[in-house]
Amino acid sequence: MSLPFDTFVFSGRRLEGRTARLGYRLLGGGRTESFEEVFEFPAGTDRTAADPADVEAALAGLHLIAGISYWKTCCPARIELEHDALDGDDAAFWSEVYNRGLGELYYRNALDPRGNARFPGRGGAAAGAAAEAVAAAAAAVAATAAAAPPAAGPGAAGPPLVLAGGGKDSVVAYEIARTAAGSGGPPTPLTVVPAGQDWQLAPGGAGRGLRVARRLDPRLFELNAAGAYNGHVPFSAILAFASQLVAVLGGFGAVIAANERSASAGNLAVGDVEVNHQWSKGLRFEEAFQAWQRRHLRRVPAYFSLLRPLSELRIAGLFAAWPEWFGAVTSCNANFRQGGGAGVRWCGRCAKCVFAAVVLTPWLDAGGIAAVFGPNPLAQSDNLPMVRQLLGLDGHKPWDCVGTSDEVAAALWLAAERQPRSALPALHWFRSTVAAGLERPDELVARELAASPVHRLPPPWRDALADYLAAR
């Protein structure tokens, strides 16, 4: 279906108690489609002690990012904001978040990989030139991020929130935060789930932690079923703005993500545009979001990824020290559908299942792997094509939250060295066909296990991570 709309409008927004209602409209061809997305926030976020200006700024940010699910249905060139006037920096920020965050959707729908989201700056000027300047600056982030960690805003005290997606990375970030001295208090897990679902995925066991319930407008699903553009959106950006509002309302001092360094690596390039399924989990979004916070909030609940210096292989090794979590985690997307989970924690066949098994196998014996996955994905010969793709031997990096081919090669080499008699088909195939061709595999493993100096951690949390690593 070719939608007739040429204009997307950010219309009303309001916070009623602990419920945010966000309005949008599509206009064109004599038609109007209206949408309302709803976020329901947990008890304890009643804004009695929150700065009203910070509440409004955080709510406005959530309004703008959540609109991406509706704008993407037809990617109209004209964007109107009824209640906001963006300066050049903000227009560039939102243009970049939409275009880079939807890179996979553009690619899969054969659209211009540069995107056509151009948020208007003050005076009605399009943000195209500013957005291009911001995107060009992203190339320098890796060189400058370590030298310019974010400073917390005035009064940003209080216990941290830890974003809990249900996987091993969330557990590691949560456990590190629990040991951090001077962190403002014990960490509180926070999960964002579709309304009507109650996934028991957050660290803290049976129901502890905070949950934000998100309800997409039902009309969106009708348009998708009728042929509107549909696909991956930058959910981690939505999570960042939703958790920021929780932190502002609830007086939390930091919002801690658990994104690894390889999230910044793209899947493929289209011309000079890198397309990255995980863009909103990457370093560039983290840096840009921190700059947005400093522009708009008086009391900044610092947002950062505590695991940014680490590879997935190193994170998996840390997770292996927490066997009480083995039977609770999942990274399989079958559990994260809007309509509810699939009833099993791991499907055992997708890229995330296979990748998770690859990076955990060097650290866990057969019993540990069984406690995490049940049947071992690497024991299935049918998964060898996925292992090849993860290694970069076939096609491009899968459209999923998986690591780089170097991480996969290092993990398989380390597993093969530690389990020389393993009969797992994936390890047998790797030893017989790939291992001999690796150059300096020991150096490869050492690089993947080393912590990177490139990150955006505030100094106290940088030191907390270093202390935790030094003790293990």
Side-chain angles (χ1 to χ4, degrees), residues 242-297:
S243 60
Q244 174 182 254
L245 184 51
V246 172
V248 168
L249 293 170
F252 291 92
V255 177
I256 299 175
N259 303 322
E260 70 289 342
R261 68 178 181 233
S262 59
S264 300
N267 296 75
L268 52 81
V270 181
D272 61 352
V273 177
E274 182 182 66
V275 181
N276 184 359
H277 172 87
Q278 300 187 85
W279 184 83
S280 63
K281 293 176 68 175
L283 182 63
R284 172 56 195 162
F285 172 76
E286 186 174 324
E287 186 264 351
F289 181 65
Q290 290 172 353
W292 185 97
Q293 289 185 302
R294 293 192 293 272
R295 290 196 301 272
H296 290 278
L297 300 179

Side-chain angles (χ1 to χ4, degrees), residues 376-400:
N376 187 345
L378 299 188
Q380 308 301 317
S381 297
D382 290 349
N383 284 335
L384 286 178
M386 181 57 69
V387 176
R388 289 181 56 86
Q389 188 176 357
L390 289 167
L391 277 166
L393 301 178
D394 293 329
H396 58 76
K397 182 180 171 183
W399 297 116
D400 222 324

Side-chain angles (χ1 to χ4, degrees), residues 149-229:
L161 289 171
V162 178
L163 304 183
K168 65 184 187 323
D169 303 50
S170 300
V171 169
V172 172
Y174 176 71
E175 294 294 353
I176 294 174
R178 285 212 305 166
T179 69
S183 62
T188 298
L190 175 68
T191 305
V192 177
V193 300
Q197 301 296 321
D198 190 23
W199 297 330
Q200 298 297 317
L201 297 177
R208 287 201 290 132
L210 301 179
R211 280 172 171 73
V212 176
R214 179 190 182 205
R215 181 180 292 108
L216 292 162
D217 193 296
R219 182 58 180 148
L220 175 64
F221 301 105
E222 296 174 9
L223 291 181
N224 290 342
Y229 294 139

Side-chain angles (χ1 to χ4, degrees), residues 242-444:
S243 60
Q244 174 182 254
L245 184 51
V246 172
V248 168
L249 293 170
F252 291 92
V255 177
I256 299 175
N259 303 322
E260 70 289 342
R261 68 178 181 233
S262 59
S264 300
N267 296 75
L268 52 81
V270 181
D272 61 352
V273 177
E274 182 182 66
V275 181
N276 184 359
H277 172 87
Q278 300 187 85
W279 184 83
S280 63
K281 293 176 68 175
L283 182 63
R284 172 56 195 162
F285 172 76
E286 186 174 324
E287 186 264 351
F289 181 65
Q290 290 172 353
W292 185 97
Q293 289 185 302
R294 293 192 293 272
R295 290 196 301 272
H296 290 278
L297 300 179
R298 300 174 185 176
R299 177 189 177 277
V300 179
Y303 170 90
F304 58 92
S305 175
L306 185 55
L307 305 186
R308 181 68 65 196
L310 306 182
S311 70
E312 285 274 32
L313 182 59
R314 184 69 182 276
I315 295 167
L318 297 174
F319 173 75
W322 298 99
E324 57 268 41
W325 288 109
F326 289 0
V329 298
T330 181
S331 298
C332 178
N333 285 331
N335 289 290
F336 298 95
R337 297 169 179 155
Q338 284 290 326
V344 294
R345 288 186 301 113
W346 303 88
C347 76
R349 299 179 300 276
C350 69
K352 290 189 78 171
C353 285
V354 176
F355 176 76
V358 165
V359 294
L360 283 169
T361 293
W363 313 106
L364 300 179
D365 59 17
I369 290 290
V372 175
F373 296 98
N376 187 345
L378 299 188
Q380 308 301 317
S381 297
D382 290 349
N383 284 335
L384 286 178
M386 181 57 69
V387 176
R388 289 181 56 86
Q389 188 176 357
L390 289 167
L391 277 166
L393 301 178
D394 293 329
H396 58 76
K397 182 180 171 183
W399 297 116
D400 222 324
C401 295
V402 297
T404 64
S405 57
D406 279 353
E407 284 181 297
V408 174
L412 289 172
W413 172 269
L414 192 58
E417 289 289 290
R418 293 180 172 183
Q419 304 174 32
R421 295 182 177 84
S422 172
L424 289 173
L427 287 187
H428 174 75
W429 168 82
F430 177 80
R431 280 193 296 260
S432 62
T433 62
V434 178
L438 290 179
E439 295 185 10
R440 301 184 178 90
D442 291 337
E443 294 181 12
L444 172 65

